[in-house]
Amino acid sequence: MDGGLILLVFLALLFAWGLNRVRRAIKLGPIGYLGVMAVFILAMLLIWGQTLRG
């Protein structure tokens, strides 16, 4: 497994944990939560794609 991919998986888990805490604090609904996760996944895939090309 690529070291960058392992780092992205770790960052995704850390982000999900933090987002869950924030979601409870600001009462974010499931649609908002889904939107934030979709943007995060898209950003991570784009970053990972850049590391493959470089």
Side-chain angles (χ1 to χ4, degrees), residues 10-42:
F10 173 72
L11 286 174
L13 290 173
L14 190 63
F15 180 79
W17 174 78
L19 181 62
N20 202 23
R21 291 181 61 96
V22 169
R23 183 175 68 107
R24 276 191 243 138
I26 63 171
K27 307 278 192 283
L28 189 65
I31 301 298
Y33 186 72
L34 182 66
V36 171
M37 287 306 290
V39 168
F40 177 77
I41 290 170
L42 186 63

